[in-house]
């Protein structure tokens, strides 16, 4: 059974929520969510609901921004050949597109480059540097990677090529915890210890945006010229799962507006290919439809195709490219399905249990699986699925010559970056964030790494982190749910890490008599429910809960945990998305 953790609030928080509800004319159910975020005044609440672009942080507060802008200005002044280089995932592709599209308006001697995942691997490659040298490039702007490319950037420097790094991953550190940085001309990365920039959670595309904001500010270019690029920012923010707070909230809020009102031609082509052109696009649409398509070309072939699409200005050509990328996405789905099934079989064998989700105390607290035949571009997707299904920090490896290349994903509250770093003596290369990392080790060291990683996890993970749980933000009655609540709840968007959509709980609800199994595969339950305190009938959908339909319709009371959504087919009407059901037991 999934554990429900009901949020507890203090008397002071209740008082603050009550006062805010009067000032904002909003339900205390929602003003309590503001208070939980530290928003206790009417003015701060209005800023939260209407983030303002002028409130973006001055880009020159970021370490090395002045150096980076000066070097870019010098390159343009001297008519140097500039390369915009980035990672092959959504964040890297959107970052490269953003910087290239903005600079292209003012300078023509530049090109973009995305390394091939299978020929060059992650980050800066010597092959890419050699290509840049052949092209006469003297300045490379590297986005969403580069912070650990010590040898490669030193090699580029020996060839007369300067680097400006725009990265958001943690730098290497020495035994005393001091940053070890590559010999770039400038490094834009708030995660540097010496950087006092007040917001640390920008994605790679966000750092690229700040660089262009600094360049524009320095050269007297109106900020309005940057606004059309915000659709790229929100796609990156949503897909990279960074915190949607503070500066990211501003970028995501206005990025969604741009995405819905006037997306770029390339993005419009993806929207049409996804079938999203007749509806309001949300962060979920980006995460599950737009982002995976941009990712697909880099996972299956080469991410440069995605940049080609995103910079395309002709809609017909863009639609052709979007269709090609959509075909790669279909291939990615097939590979994903097969690899996930094979990985699940390995996990089942590891546990030797009929139901592998029922972990005994003596079973491993981490998952490390590997197969020589798995496709490198799908590892992260499979790792995410395993971590979500088994509630364990997970690493999935495949073989590349003498090396094992892996992707790691974590569970809430567990720092998988620190866990991998603890095995540093076995690492050939690694990088990432608290919840997602990439790494390379020698193939012969996989079992030793697995043992060391499990030892660290067992010593540092808490029991609650390895159990399925839903955090309940408020316990409410059906009488509290109405169109006004839905309207006000929508004002909290964009939702994501740091601002998750609130989960509610209602106790003692009953089937109204009309709930039924629905869906092409008959796996879901369309529910009509009442609670014990009012005659209000509320519609809901419980995905994957068809096996419970007999209990649901048995006239016994049960509790539900859910989010409040807008009915997809009836705008303005409420529908509950029911994530879990707890039945009352007699006696």
């Amino acid at each position: 059974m999934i554990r429900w953790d009901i949020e507890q609030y203090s008397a002071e928080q209740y008082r603050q929520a009550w006062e805010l509800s009067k000032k904002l004319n909003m339900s205390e159910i929602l003003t309590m969510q503001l208070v939980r975020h530290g928003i206790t005044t009417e003015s701060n609440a209005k800023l939260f609901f209407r983030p303002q672009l002028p409130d973006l942080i001055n880009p020159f507060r970021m370490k090395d921004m002045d150096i980076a802008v000066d070097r870019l200005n010098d390159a343009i002044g001297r008519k140097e050949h500039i390369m915009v280089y980035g990672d092959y995932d959504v964040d890297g592709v959107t970052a490269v597109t953003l910087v290239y599209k903005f600079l292209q308006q003012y300078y023509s001697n530049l090109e973009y480059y995305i390394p091939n995942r299978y020929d060059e691997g992650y980050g800066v490659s010597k092959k890419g540097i050699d290509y840049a040298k052949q092209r006469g490039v003297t300045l490379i702007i590297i986005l969403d990677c580069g912070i650990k490319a010590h040898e490669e950037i030193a090699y580029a420097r020996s060839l007369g090529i300067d680097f400006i790094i725009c990265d958001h991953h943690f730098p290497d550190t020495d035994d005393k915890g001091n940053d070890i940085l590559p010999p770039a001309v400038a490094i834009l990365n708030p995660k540097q210890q010496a950087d006092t920039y007040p917001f640390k959670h920008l994605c790679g595309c966000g750092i690229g945006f700040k660089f262009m904001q600094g360049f524009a500010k320095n050269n007297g270019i109106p900020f309005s010229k940057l606004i059309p690029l915000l659709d790229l920012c929100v796609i990156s923010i949503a897909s990279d799962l960074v915190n949607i707070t503070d500066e990211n909230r501003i970028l995501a809020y206005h990025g969604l507006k741009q995405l819905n009102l006037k997306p770029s031609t390339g993005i419009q082509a993806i929207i049409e290919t996804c079938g999203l052109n007749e509806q309001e696009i949300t962060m979920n649409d980006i995460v599950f439809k737009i982002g995976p398509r941009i990712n697909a070309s880099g996972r299956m072939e080469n991410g440069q195709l995605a940049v080609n699409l995103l910079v395309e200005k002709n809609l017909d050509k863009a639609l052709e490219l979007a269709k090609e990328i959509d075909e790669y996405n279909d291939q990615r789905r097939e590979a994903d399905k097969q690899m996930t099934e094979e990985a699940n079989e390995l996990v089942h064998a590891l546990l030797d249990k009929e139901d592998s989700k029922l972990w005994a105390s003596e079973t491993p607290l981490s998952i490390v699986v590997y197969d020589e035949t798995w496709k490198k571009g799908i590892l992260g997707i499979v790792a995410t699925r395993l971590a979500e299904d088994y509630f364990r920090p997970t690493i999935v490896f495949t073989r590349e010559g003498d090396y094992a290349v892996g992707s790691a994903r974590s569970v809430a509250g567990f720092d998988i970056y620190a866990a991998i770093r603890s095995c540093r003596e076995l690492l050939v290369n690694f990088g990432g964030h608290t919840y997602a990392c990439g790494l390379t080790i020698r193939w012969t060291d996989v079992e030793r790494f697995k043992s060391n990683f499990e030892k660290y996890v067992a010593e540092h993970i808490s029991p609650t982190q390895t159990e399925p749980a839903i955090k309940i933000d408020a316990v409410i009655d059906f009488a509290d749910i109405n169109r006004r609540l839905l309207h006000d709840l929508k004002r909290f968007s964009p939702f994501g890490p740091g601002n998750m959509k609130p989960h509610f709980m209602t106790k003692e609800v009953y089937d109204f008599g009309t709930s039924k199994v629905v869906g092409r595969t008959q796996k879901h339950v369309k529910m009509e429910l009442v609670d014990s305190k009012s005659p209000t009938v509320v519609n809901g959908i419980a995905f994957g809960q068809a096996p419970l339909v007999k209990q649901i319709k048995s006239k016994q009371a049960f509790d539900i945990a859910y989010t409040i959504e807008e009915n997809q087919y009836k705008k303005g009407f409420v529908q509950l998305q029911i994530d879990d059901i707890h039945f009352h037991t007699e006696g």
Side-chain angles (χ1 to χ4, degrees):
M1 179 182 287
I2 297 176
R3 188 182 75 249
W4 296 0
D5 295 332
I6 301 174
E7 190 77 29
Q8 301 297 315
Y9 301 105
S10 67
E12 175 63 13
Q13 286 177 312
Y14 278 114
R15 184 192 66 77
Q16 292 170 333
W18 181 83
E19 289 184 354
L20 266 183
S21 72
K22 302 305 176 189
K23 293 175 182 176
L24 299 174
N25 191 25
M26 180 180 288
S27 167
E28 286 179 61
I29 294 167
L30 296 184
T31 56
M32 182 58 80
Q33 305 312 309
L34 292 174
V35 170
R36 189 167 61 83
H37 286 301
I39 300 167
T40 58
T41 66
E42 183 178 7
S43 59
N44 284 342
K46 288 179 178 178
L47 283 175
F48 177 81
F49 289 132
R50 296 286 302 273
Q52 300 296 308
L53 287 169
D55 289 332
L56 289 171
I57 302 166
N58 182 343
F60 287 96
R61 292 184 67 181
M62 191 177 294
K63 182 178 179 294
D64 282 2
M65 182 62 75
D66 53 344
I67 300 171
V69 170
D70 286 347
R71 180 64 184 90
L72 178 55
N73 284 335
D74 288 345
I76 292 172
R78 293 196 290 259
K79 296 184 170 50
E80 295 180 48
H81 191 34
I82 301 171
M83 175 179 282
V84 185
Y85 187 127
D87 190 21
Y88 36 63
D89 70 358
V90 176
D91 193 14
V93 164
T94 52
V96 166
T97 304
L98 186 150
V99 171
Y100 179 82
K101 285 180 72 172
F102 187 73
L103 290 180
Q104 194 184 37
Q105 300 174 76
Y106 309 101
Y107 188 65
S108 60
N109 193 15
L110 75 161
E111 62 180 292
Y112 54 84
Y113 184 86
I114 304 289
N116 186 294
R117 183 192 294 262
Y118 298 97
D119 291 345
E120 300 172 68
Y122 170 77
V124 186
S125 71
K126 287 191 175 180
K127 180 178 178 181
I129 292 169
D130 288 339
Y131 174 79
K133 181 64 177 178
Q134 292 170 12
R135 299 282 296 167
V137 170
T138 52
L139 175 64
I140 294 178
I141 300 170
I142 182 84
L143 296 136
D144 193 34
C145 54
I147 196 65
K148 294 191 173 188
H150 306 279
E151 293 182 11
E152 292 82 1
I153 291 178
Y155 173 66
R157 191 174 181 180
S158 73
L159 299 178
I161 301 173
D162 285 340
F163 264 79
I164 295 173
I165 297 174
C166 302
D167 202 352
H168 67 127
H169 299 96
F170 288 109
D172 281 329
T173 55
D174 60 23
D175 292 338
K176 295 182 179 179
N178 300 311
D179 287 347
I180 303 172
L181 302 172
V185 170
I187 299 175
L188 305 180
N189 185 342
K191 289 190 173 77
Q192 295 177 83
Q193 293 177 19
D195 196 331
T196 58
Y197 193 77
F199 186 65
K200 304 295 184 182
H201 302 292
L202 290 166
C203 57
C205 188
I207 302 240
F209 181 87
K210 298 304 296 187
F211 185 19
M212 293 301 94
Q213 185 188 1
F215 174 78
K217 188 180 181 75
N218 181 261
N219 287 280
I221 299 169
F223 182 84
S224 59
K225 295 288 187 180
L226 289 159
I227 291 176
L229 302 171
L230 289 172
D231 54 3
L232 294 164
C233 284
V234 72
I235 289 171
S236 179
I237 288 168
S239 300
D240 218 47
L241 299 177
V242 292
N243 278 4
I244 306 180
T245 56
D246 301 315
E247 192 157 40
N248 276 344
R249 180 171 174 80
I250 298 173
L251 294 172
Y253 178 88
H254 290 278
L256 272 181
K257 286 177 65 174
Q258 185 69 25
L259 193 62
N260 281 286
L261 294 175
K262 196 175 181 182
S264 69
T265 303
I267 293 174
Q268 180 62 43
I270 298 174
I271 290 170
E272 293 189 20
T273 303
C274 294
L276 293 172
N277 46 314
E278 298 297 326
Q279 64 189 68
E280 181 181 0
I281 297 168
T282 66
M283 298 296 272
N284 270 355
D285 293 324
I286 296 171
V287 171
F288 294 108
K289 295 183 178 180
I290 295 174
R293 283 168 170 81
I294 295 174
N295 245 337
S297 64
R299 292 190 187 280
M300 304 306 295
E301 290 294 334
N302 192 315
Q304 189 129 337
L305 178 63
V307 183
N308 295 345
L309 167 60
L310 294 176
V311 301
E312 181 56 59
K313 297 177 182 179
N314 180 281
L315 183 57
D316 290 335
K317 290 181 180 178
L319 286 168
E320 290 178 12
L321 290 169
K323 184 179 179 182
E324 186 177 349
I325 281 178
D326 202 45
E327 291 171 357
Y328 283 132
N329 195 46
D330 290 339
Q331 295 172 25
R332 186 272 307 166
R333 276 197 291 256
E334 285 300 314
D336 169 15
K337 181 181 177 183
Q338 179 181 338
M339 283 175 55
T340 300
E341 289 174 354
E342 293 173 357
N344 272 313
E345 289 177 5
L346 291 175
V347 175
H348 279 249
L350 174 69
L351 298 173
D352 193 25
K353 291 182 178 292
E354 291 183 7
D355 183 356
S356 56
K357 294 182 185 180
L358 301 176
W359 293 72
S361 60
E362 70 273 11
T363 57
L365 295 174
S366 64
I367 294 172
V368 178
V369 290
Y370 52 93
D371 188 289
E372 295 188 24
T373 65
W374 285 344
K375 197 169 182 66
K376 185 165 65 170
I378 313 296
L379 297 177
I381 299 174
V382 176
T384 297
R385 294 191 193 285
L386 296 181
E388 290 175 350
D389 286 348
Y390 300 107
F391 310 100
R392 293 292 188 273
T394 299
I395 304 178
V396 180
F397 284 109
T398 190
R399 186 167 186 169
E400 193 172 73
D402 293 332
Y403 298 97
V405 179
S407 281
R409 297 294 184 270
S410 195
V411 294
F414 183 78
D415 187 346
I416 202 166
Y417 183 92
I420 294 171
R421 187 175 57 192
S422 73
C423 307
R424 62 171 62 88
E425 74 279 2
L426 299 177
L427 299 173
V428 175
N429 192 18
F430 94 108
H433 319 281
T434 301
Y435 293 115
C437 293
L439 67 156
T440 302
I441 61 177
R442 294 191 177 280
W443 183 256
T444 52
D445 286 337
V446 170
E447 283 297 325
R448 186 178 164 205
F449 173 88
K450 182 177 178 179
S451 175
N452 291 359
F453 181 73
E454 166 65 20
K455 183 175 185 293
Y456 180 95
V457 173
E459 291 173 354
H460 292 83
I461 202 164
S462 69
T464 58
Q465 290 172 323
T466 61
E467 298 173 357
I470 295 175
K471 188 182 73 172
I472 304 296
D473 294 282
V475 180
I476 64 175
D477 300 323
F478 281 172
D480 298 316
I481 303 172
N482 51 42
R483 292 193 194 185
R484 177 62 186 272
L485 187 74
L486 174 65
H487 172 269
D488 287 341
L489 182 60
K490 289 171 69 175
R491 296 173 65 192
F492 280 74
S493 68
F495 294 107
N499 182 41
M500 300 301 290
K501 184 172 290 187
H503 263 95
F504 301 104
M505 171 187 172
T506 299
K507 298 180 178 179
E508 295 188 348
V509 307
Y510 301 84
D511 172 38
F512 186 62
T514 48
S515 298
K516 60 183 179 180
V517 174
V518 296
R520 183 172 55 84
T521 57
Q522 295 286 286
K523 290 182 178 179
H524 318 306
V525 183
K526 185 177 185 298
M527 305 174 75
E528 291 187 334
L529 304 172
V530 292
D531 67 8
S532 59
K533 297 183 179 179
S534 77
T536 303
V537 179
V538 178
N539 292 312
I541 184 75
F543 292 110
Q545 301 284 13
L548 301 179
V549 71
K550 285 186 179 180
Q551 284 179 280
I552 290 168
K553 296 181 71 63
S554 67
K555 301 187 184 303
Q556 67 171 304
F558 51 92
D559 303 336
I560 56 173
Y562 57 91
T563 57
I564 297 173
E565 312 290 341
E566 183 173 39
N567 189 299
Q568 185 176 353
Y569 305 104
K570 295 180 180 179
K571 292 298 179 185
F573 284 80
V574 173
Q575 177 174 282
L576 310 185
Q577 182 169 310
I578 299 167
D579 294 321
D580 195 31
I581 299 171
H582 282 184
F583 291 95
H584 291 196
T585 56
E586 294 185 2

